[in-house]
Amino acid sequence: MGVMVPLFLQVAWFSLLMFGCMYTGLEATVTDVCGDDDKDPGEIIIILQSSPTNTFHKQIDISSTNFNCLLYPTHEVNCSWAFQSLEKTANITTTVSICHGGKTVQTLESKTSIGSNSILFEKSVTHLILQFNISLHSQWDVYYYKYESESIEVLPPPLNVQGIFKDSDLLITWDPPVCQIHCEVGSLEYELFIKDQEKLKYVKSQLYYTEPNVDPTQSYTVTIRTRIREFYHGSCHWSDWSQPVTIKATFQLNAEVIIAISVGIPMILLALLLVVCQRLSKRLFPPIPSPAPRYMHVLQNNDHLFCDLAADAAIVNGGNEVPLSIHGPQRQKAQVLQEVKVHTTGDIKL
């Protein structure tokens, strides 16, 4: 004899079975989401609904501005979301799936309407998938959004930053960053920060920058960051700044140079002054001319008699000539004295 099951229990049992099937299907979809390659990246898609006639998605507003994911050079994925327009009674479960090829590498779930999650990974990432399971008043939808790794990668800073002085300019060079994806030099742009300068320097598609009219006796500290240029496929987020690099001055005044200049310059000036003074003294005080050698024997005899005689004769005759009263050897010596006087003074005649 069979047992009759009340109708309401049959309905309840059937509902439980249906919910279990739907939940199992949902879990399978979440688990195998990385193998679903037919969906385009960058589009929000509803992949599951509580019923085909569900109009729940019209009651909520979800766009790509509500969430964001970034892939850092440190092998870290960070995703953040904010659904502030949802009712407080709404339930939301966010699932982040990291994919390598068609396989799920890691997943992480969160049950908050506003939050963020970070995941460290070891393998390279080909794409990343966000799923939002939102339920309200016995209705629910599952939203799907796919990122390609190129679109969320934050580049590492440039490498090998260097600088040299060329005449009055400062030439700064660097190497492009090592990307997890392929990035060409022409697709990158850079910002340079030079310490003690107000404005950032902006460079596109090249690996050098020249700062004009610098002081080569000063040192300059430089740091650089980069990102993918606009209209190129990739993330528009700036990288971290590179490690500061100090470009040292080509000429610096140390203590030895200062001492050498302080002592050397006064000594040079003193030597020049002595040379000038010596030449000036020769002009102001010229040397007294000496008699000719042939007259030296007369002066060395110390013959005062003839000197006095010649002087008296000069006084008597006005210094014009030797008087006729002097004869013989005396007259000869007087004439010699007259020539000596004329040679030495130029204005006395005997």
Side-chain angles (χ1 to χ4, degrees):
M1 183 176 179
V3 179
M4 296 296 294
V5 179
L7 181 60
F8 73 90
L9 289 178
Q10 294 180 9
V11 174
W13 178 252
F14 181 76
S15 299
L16 288 174
L17 288 176
M18 291 296 295
F19 180 78
C21 293
M22 292 172 60
Y23 183 78
T24 303
L26 175 59
E27 289 295 322
T29 304
V30 172
T31 304
D32 302 331
V33 69
C34 289
D36 208 355
D37 292 334
D38 59 342
K39 296 179 175 61
D40 295 329
E43 295 183 8
I44 300 175
I45 304 171
I46 299 177
I47 58 174
L48 284 175
Q49 291 181 293
S50 57
S51 67
T53 59
N54 181 11
T55 58
F56 176 56
H57 63 279
K58 296 181 179 179
Q59 303 175 29
I60 59 177
D61 181 21
I62 293 183
S63 66
S64 59
T65 59
N66 295 119
F67 50 87
N68 184 48
C69 288
L70 294 175
L71 174 62
Y72 290 96
T74 55
H75 292 276
E76 178 184 4
V77 171
N78 179 269
C79 293
S80 59
W81 58 89
F83 298 98
Q84 298 176 346
S85 61
L86 292 177
E87 295 184 19
K88 293 183 179 180
T89 57
N91 296 318
I92 179 170
T93 300
T94 302
T95 304
V96 181
S97 300
I98 297 178
C99 306
H100 177 71
K103 296 182 180 180
T104 302
V105 178
Q106 284 177 273
T107 59
L108 191 63
E109 287 189 357
S110 179
K111 296 183 179 295
T112 57
S113 59
I114 300 176
S116 63
N117 270 329
S118 295
I119 306 175
L120 292 173
F121 58 92
E122 296 180 358
K123 294 184 178 180
S124 60
V125 176
T126 56
H127 57 282
L128 184 144
I129 294 173
L130 285 180
Q131 284 184 297
F132 303 103
N133 188 346
I134 304 173
S135 61
L136 179 66
H137 306 310
S138 71
Q139 292 183 327
W140 52 266
D141 287 341
V142 178
Y143 295 85
Y144 171 103
Y145 191 88
K146 182 179 180 180
Y147 285 106
E148 289 185 340
S149 58
E150 294 91 341
S151 64
I152 61 174
E153 180 185 11
V154 177
L155 300 178
L159 302 172
N160 195 27
V161 180
Q162 298 181 13
I164 57 172
F165 291 96
K166 296 186 67 175
D167 298 329
S168 61
D169 300 335
L170 175 62
L171 176 63
I172 303 169
T173 60
W174 60 89
D175 292 335
V178 178
C179 308
Q180 297 185 38
I181 59 174
H182 179 67
C183 52
E184 298 178 352
V185 174
S187 64
L188 301 177
E189 60 185 3
Y190 302 88
E191 274 189 346
L192 285 77
F193 173 72
I194 302 177
K195 190 177 180 181
D196 298 330
Q197 294 192 9
E198 296 180 358
K199 294 183 179 180
L200 296 174
K201 315 300 179 183
Y202 180 70
V203 178
K204 291 194 300 185
S205 306
Q206 59 188 27
L207 300 175
Y208 63 90
Y209 170 77
T210 301
E211 179 68 13
N213 302 323
V214 298
D215 185 0
T217 63
Q218 281 190 341
S219 296
Y220 293 85
T221 301
V222 181
T223 182
I224 308 176
R225 65 178 183 176
T226 185
R227 70 175 179 181
I228 300 293
R229 290 177 58 189
E230 190 179 5
F231 306 121
Y232 283 84
H233 184 58
S235 172
C236 62
H237 288 80
W238 285 104
S239 70
D240 292 334
W241 290 100
S242 64
Q243 291 294 326
V245 174
T246 300
I247 304 165
K248 295 184 178 180
T250 56
F251 177 75
Q252 293 181 339
L253 293 178
N254 52 29
E256 291 79 4
V257 175
I258 295 175
I259 294 174
I261 293 176
S262 302
V263 175
I265 292 179
M267 295 297 292
I268 294 173
L269 293 177
L270 180 60
L272 292 176
L273 183 62
L274 290 175
V275 172
V276 172
C277 291
Q278 186 177 7
R279 291 184 177 182
L280 185 62
S281 62
K282 287 182 178 181
R283 290 181 176 275
L284 295 177
F285 308 101
I288 299 174
S290 59
R294 59 178 178 167
Y295 302 133
M296 292 298 296
H297 69 281
V298 178
L299 298 176
Q300 291 174 356
N301 288 335
N302 197 15
D303 192 348
H304 300 286
L305 174 61
F306 294 104
C307 291
D308 294 339
L309 180 60
D312 292 341
I315 293 172
V316 172
N317 296 285
N320 294 324
E321 58 183 4
V322 176
L324 297 176
S325 59
I326 300 177
H327 301 279
Q330 292 81 5
R331 181 178 179 85
Q332 183 179 3
K333 287 186 176 182
Q335 289 177 346
V336 170
L337 289 175
Q338 181 185 9
E339 292 180 5
V340 169
K341 292 289 185 177
V342 172
H343 179 76
T344 56
T345 62
D347 56 356
I348 299 176
K349 293 183 180 181
L350 295 178

